[in-house]
Amino acid sequence: MVQSLWNGAWIAALATGAVVIVLIVWAAIFHRKRRAKADLPPQVRYNLPIEMLYTLIPLVMVSVFFFFTARDSQALTHVDGDAPVKVKVEAFQWSWRFTTTVNGKTLQPVAGVPVNDYHQGPQLVLPAKTKVEFNLSTDDVIHSFWVPEFLFKRDVIPGIKPDNPGSKFQITTLDRTGVFAGRCAELCGVDHSRMLFSVKLVPQAEFDQYIATHQAGSAQ
């Protein structure tokens, strides 16, 4: 959905740019001053059809952009509440703490410290192609939870209650496995650039094994 909205916006922007360039070139060529004619061309103060045209066209364009943006934004921010995997994300200066709950079973929290390589930061393990609900919180300053591959970013703002809809979002994880970089996308202090983490997507069978060995209170 995000990709289609992005592609549509680019197509519309390129089409608009092409029309503007064509009109500029046309005006420069066909309305340039002729050497054979010393007189100025006819001066027209008002042209009601043209004025209506360049007022209505932008209005239609903005309305179309607004419709698709509002429609997709509503879908992207909707939270069903029935995700089998839920992750409590706690942001702090300058790292992350992840507490995962799977079908009511809470796993051991994963916390990190500031690092220079996202592979060294805290790693959040999730199953591939699965609905996951995230609940974001922080006690210090504004952070921003961002995994570029997920095509979703959400600010983590202090003072928002855990049950506030603005602190939650859900996605369906990618349909491929791998380790993906995550970072804070909001300038939050001295070690902001080192506030890195990773998300590891694994097959469901491997995730089930991970659950069995990482439940809160279990011995490893």
Side-chain angles (χ1 to χ4, degrees):
M1 182 180 295
V2 175
Q3 193 66 53
S4 62
L5 180 63
W6 177 259
N7 292 341
W10 267 107
I11 292 171
L14 292 173
T16 302
V19 171
V20 170
I21 292 173
V22 169
L23 290 175
I24 291 174
V25 172
W26 176 82
I29 293 176
F30 291 96
H31 293 279
R32 70 186 186 277
K33 185 177 180 180
R34 308 286 182 176
R35 290 184 179 181
K37 297 181 179 180
D39 298 334
L40 290 173
Q43 303 298 298
V44 181
R45 293 186 61 188
Y46 301 105
N47 190 318
L48 188 58
I50 292 181
E51 291 181 6
M52 291 180 63
L53 187 66
Y54 66 59
T55 299
L56 291 175
I57 289 180
L59 183 61
V60 172
M61 292 172 61
V62 171
S63 299
V64 171
F65 273 120
F66 177 81
F67 169 78
F68 285 106
T69 301
R71 184 198 65 180
D72 292 355
S73 296
Q74 185 176 11
L76 289 169
T77 56
H78 177 71
V79 177
D80 295 327
D82 59 355
V85 180
K86 298 184 178 182
V87 181
K88 181 181 179 182
V89 178
E90 298 171 272
F92 56 89
Q93 293 177 313
W94 289 270
S95 194
W96 306 85
R97 182 182 298 106
F98 304 119
T99 305
T100 304
T101 301
V102 185
N103 295 322
K105 300 177 181 178
T106 301
L107 308 186
Q108 296 172 351
V110 177
V113 296
V115 294
N116 295 317
D117 184 344
Y118 73 88
H119 290 99
Q120 301 170 349
Q123 185 173 82
L124 175 61
V125 179
L126 296 173
K129 205 173 183 180
T130 302
K131 185 190 297 183
V132 180
E133 178 184 312
F134 294 87
N135 192 346
L136 313 178
S137 65
T138 179
D139 291 329
D140 43 48
V141 300
I142 297 177
H143 301 278
S144 188
F145 181 81
W146 186 34
V147 182
E149 291 287 342
F150 288 175
L151 301 180
F152 196 99
K153 177 168 68 70
R154 173 64 63 88
D155 285 351
V156 191
I157 302 174
I160 295 182
K161 295 181 179 180
D163 58 347
N164 189 298
S167 66
K168 296 180 180 181
F169 73 93
Q170 72 179 29
I171 63 167
T172 298
T173 55
L174 305 176
D175 59 359
R176 65 182 189 274
T177 60
V179 178
F180 306 97
R183 55 180 56 87
C184 176
E186 182 77 27
L187 182 59
C188 59
V190 176
D191 277 335
H192 160 70
S193 62
R194 303 176 65 210
M195 195 168 168
L196 308 176
F197 66 96
S198 65
V199 176
K200 183 179 182 181
L201 298 183
V202 298
Q204 185 62 49
E206 185 175 339
F207 185 67
D208 292 339
Q209 185 178 5
Y210 177 82
I211 293 173
T213 57
H214 289 79
Q215 288 190 43
S218 66
Q220 297 190 44

Coordinates of all heavy atoms in Angstrom, one line a residue, residues 90-96 112-114 137-143 184 186-192 194-195:
E90 N 10.4 0.0 24.1 CA 10.7 1.1 25.0 C 12.0 1.7 24.5 O 13.0 1.1 24.4 CB 10.9 0.5 26.4 CG 9.7 -0.1 27.0 CD 10.0 -0.9 28.3 OE1 10.3 -2.1 28.3 OE2 9.9 -0.2 29.4
A91 N 11.9 3.0 24.2 CA 13.0 3.7 23.7 C 13.6 4.6 24.9 O 12.9 5.1 25.7 CB 12.6 4.7 22.6
F92 N 14.9 4.6 24.9 CA 15.6 5.4 25.9 C 16.9 5.9 25.4 O 17.4 5.4 24.4 CB 15.8 4.6 27.2 CG 16.6 3.3 27.0 CD1 17.9 3.3 27.1 CD2 15.9 2.1 26.7 CE1 18.7 2.1 27.0 CE2 16.6 0.9 26.6 CZ 18.0 0.9 26.7
Q93 N 17.5 6.9 26.0 CA 18.8 7.4 25.6 C 19.9 6.5 26.0 O 20.2 6.4 27.2 CB 19.0 8.8 26.2 CG 18.1 9.9 25.6 CD 18.3 11.2 26.3 OE1 18.4 11.3 27.5 NE2 18.3 12.3 25.5
W94 N 20.5 5.7 25.0 CA 20.3 5.7 23.6 C 20.2 4.3 23.1 O 21.2 3.9 22.4 CB 21.4 6.5 22.9 CG 21.3 8.0 23.2 CD1 20.6 8.9 22.5 CD2 21.9 8.7 24.3 NE1 20.7 10.2 23.1 CE2 21.6 10.1 24.2 CE3 22.8 8.3 25.4 CZ2 22.0 11.0 25.1 CZ3 23.2 9.3 26.3 CH2 22.8 10.6 26.1
S95 N 19.2 3.6 23.4 CA 19.0 2.3 22.8 C 17.5 1.9 23.0 O 16.7 2.8 23.2 CB 19.9 1.3 23.5 OG 20.0 0.1 22.7
W96 N 17.3 0.6 22.9 CA 15.9 0.1 22.9 C 15.8 -1.1 23.8 O 16.7 -1.9 24.0 CB 15.6 -0.4 21.4 CG 15.8 0.7 20.4 CD1 16.9 1.0 19.7 CD2 14.8 1.6 19.9 NE1 16.8 2.0 18.9 CE2 15.5 2.4 18.9 CE3 13.5 1.8 20.2 CZ2 14.8 3.4 18.3 CZ3 12.8 2.8 19.5 CH2 13.5 3.6 18.5
G112 N 19.5 -3.1 24.8 CA 20.8 -2.8 24.2 C 21.4 -1.6 24.8 O 20.9 -0.9 25.7
V113 N 22.6 -1.3 24.2 CA 23.4 -0.1 24.5 C 23.7 0.6 23.2 O 23.6 -0.1 22.1 CB 24.6 -0.5 25.3 CG1 24.3 -1.1 26.7 CG2 25.5 -1.5 24.5
P114 N 24.2 1.8 23.2 CA 24.6 2.5 22.0 C 25.7 1.7 21.3 O 26.6 1.3 21.9 CB 25.0 3.9 22.4 CG 24.3 4.1 23.7 CD 24.2 2.7 24.4
S137 N 6.8 3.3 23.7 CA 6.8 4.2 24.9 C 8.2 4.7 25.2 O 9.2 4.1 24.7 CB 6.2 3.5 26.1 OG 7.1 2.4 26.5
T138 N 8.3 5.8 25.9 CA 9.6 6.3 26.3 C 9.4 7.2 27.5 O 8.3 7.8 27.7 CB 10.3 7.2 25.2 OG1 11.5 7.7 25.7 CG2 9.4 8.3 24.7
D139 N 10.4 7.3 28.4 CA 10.3 8.1 29.6 C 11.2 9.4 29.5 O 11.2 10.2 30.5 CB 10.7 7.3 30.8 CG 9.7 6.2 31.1 OD1 8.5 6.5 30.8 OD2 10.1 5.2 31.6
D140 N 12.0 9.6 28.4 CA 12.9 10.7 28.4 C 12.5 11.7 27.4 O 11.9 12.7 27.6 CB 14.4 10.3 28.3 CG 14.6 9.2 27.3 OD1 14.1 9.3 26.2 OD2 15.3 8.2 27.7
V141 N 12.9 11.5 26.1 CA 12.7 12.5 25.0 C 12.0 11.8 23.9 O 11.8 10.6 23.9 CB 14.1 13.1 24.6 CG1 14.7 13.8 25.7 CG2 15.0 12.0 24.0
I142 N 11.7 12.6 22.8 CA 11.1 12.0 21.6 C 12.1 11.2 20.8 O 13.2 11.7 20.5 CB 10.5 13.1 20.7 CG1 9.4 13.9 21.5 CG2 10.0 12.5 19.5 CD1 8.8 15.0 20.7
H143 N 11.8 10.0 20.5 CA 12.5 9.1 19.7 C 11.7 8.8 18.4 O 10.5 9.2 18.3 CB 12.9 7.8 20.4 CG 13.8 8.1 21.6 ND1 15.1 8.3 21.6 CD2 13.4 8.1 22.9 CE1 15.6 8.5 22.8 NE2 14.6 8.4 23.6
C184 N 16.8 4.9 15.3 CA 16.0 6.1 15.7 C 16.1 7.2 14.7 O 17.2 7.5 14.2 CB 16.5 6.6 17.1 SG 15.7 8.1 17.6
E186 N 14.8 10.3 15.0 CA 14.5 11.6 15.6 C 15.8 12.0 16.4 O 16.2 11.2 17.3 CB 13.3 11.5 16.5 CG 12.9 12.8 17.1 CD 12.2 13.8 16.2 OE1 11.6 13.3 15.2 OE2 12.3 15.0 16.4
L187 N 16.3 13.1 16.2 CA 17.5 13.6 16.9 C 17.2 13.6 18.4 O 16.4 14.4 18.8 CB 17.9 14.9 16.4 CG 19.2 15.5 17.1 CD1 20.4 14.6 16.9 CD2 19.5 16.9 16.5
C188 N 17.8 12.8 19.2 CA 17.4 12.6 20.6 C 18.5 12.8 21.6 O 18.3 12.6 22.8 CB 16.8 11.2 20.8 SG 17.9 9.8 20.3
G189 N 19.7 13.2 21.1 CA 20.8 13.4 22.1 C 22.1 13.1 21.5 O 22.3 12.8 20.3
V190 N 23.1 13.0 22.4 CA 24.5 12.8 22.0 C 24.7 11.6 21.2 O 25.4 11.6 20.1 CB 25.4 12.8 23.2 CG1 26.9 12.5 22.8 CG2 25.3 14.2 23.9
D191 N 24.2 10.5 21.6 CA 24.4 9.2 20.9 C 23.3 8.8 20.0 O 23.0 7.6 19.8 CB 24.7 8.1 22.0 CG 26.1 8.1 22.4 OD1 27.0 8.5 21.7 OD2 26.4 7.6 23.6
H192 N 22.5 9.7 19.5 CA 21.4 9.4 18.6 C 21.8 8.5 17.4 O 21.1 7.6 17.1 CB 20.8 10.7 18.0 CG 20.0 10.6 16.8 ND1 18.8 10.0 16.8 CD2 20.3 10.9 15.5 CE1 18.3 10.0 15.5 NE2 19.2 10.5 14.7
R194 N 24.0 6.3 17.3 CA 24.3 5.0 17.7 C 23.1 4.2 18.3 O 23.3 3.1 18.9 CB 25.5 5.1 18.8 CG 26.7 5.8 18.3 CD 27.8 5.9 19.4 NE 28.3 4.6 19.8 CZ 28.7 4.3 21.0 NH1 28.7 5.2 21.9 NH2 29.2 3.1 21.3
M195 N 22.0 4.8 18.2 CA 20.8 4.1 18.7 C 20.2 3.2 17.6 O 19.2 3.4 17.0 CB 19.7 5.2 19.0 CG 18.6 4.7 19.9 SD 17.6 6.1 20.5 CE 16.2 5.3 21.2

